[in-house]
Amino acid sequence: RFGFVKAPPALVPRLAQAVAIDTIMVSPLLAELATHLIESGHADACATAQRTEALKRQTLARRLLPLRLPAGSEASFHIWLPMPEGWRSERFVTEARARGVVLTPGSTFHVDGGDPGAVRLCLPAEPDHTRLEAGLKIIAGLLTHAPHQAAMPMV
């Protein structure tokens, strides 16, 4: 991975020094390709397309799930879904998986492996919007059941 930094001229020498300390040589071909994408405007077009797709998926998730997400997170492909009272994220993940929906427990991202009381939804994992909607509906249904009721089939 690599990136480009656009910075005020006064910061360029300090940034160059910081980057030089923590950088391994990147492939010149990859650097040339990235430069071409940026200069041609294709990188902006790709970024716009990604933001548009993220917004569509966020809108769908916000419509189907009881979410109180901060403004500005609409361009994210991921959502932290807090667990309702009584649920632990590992159990929720297990129940969702039994219904064909794969989620990531919050403990995967927690430094000590503890349960932060949330699961992470990866909205682009399912490329098909219809299947994504079906999966989100399963999650929404699961959220309405207490953990001891989740083992029962949902109608």
Side-chain angles (χ1 to χ4, degrees):
R1 294 181 183 194
F2 72 99
F4 290 85
V5 176
K6 181 177 180 180
L11 289 179
V12 171
R14 287 177 44 203
L15 285 171
Q17 183 180 20
V19 169
I21 291 170
D22 192 33
T23 303
I24 297 174
M25 176 69 177
V26 69
S27 158
L29 179 60
L30 187 56
E32 182 64 30
L33 176 60
T35 301
H36 172 74
L37 289 173
I38 291 168
E39 289 176 346
S40 69
H42 285 92
D44 282 338
C46 289
T48 298
Q50 284 185 324
R51 280 190 297 274
T52 300
E53 184 62 21
L55 181 58
K56 285 179 188 176
R57 290 168 181 267
Q58 281 276 341
T59 300
L60 180 62
R62 288 167 189 256
R63 182 171 52 83
L64 296 173
L65 300 173
L67 299 171
R68 287 183 215 89
L69 300 174
S73 63
E74 298 87 4
S76 175
F77 276 117
H78 301 91
I79 293 176
W80 280 102
L81 180 65
M83 294 289 87
E85 183 75 30
W87 277 106
R88 300 212 20 96
S89 65
E90 296 284 344
R91 172 77 189 275
F92 193 85
V93 167
T94 299
E95 294 296 336
R97 187 164 298 195
R99 291 161 176 78
V101 177
V102 179
L103 302 173
T104 306
S107 58
T108 302
F109 303 95
H110 208 262
V111 175
D112 66 3
D115 186 351
V119 296
R120 184 174 183 249
L121 306 181
C122 179
L123 298 176
E126 174 51 64
D128 181 81
H129 282 231
T130 302
R131 287 177 45 95
L132 175 62
E133 181 172 0
L136 291 170
K137 285 180 179 178
I138 290 169
I139 293 168
L142 194 54
L143 287 169
T144 64
H145 291 80
H148 68 280
Q149 297 173 317
M152 296 181 231
M154 291 188 295
V155 201

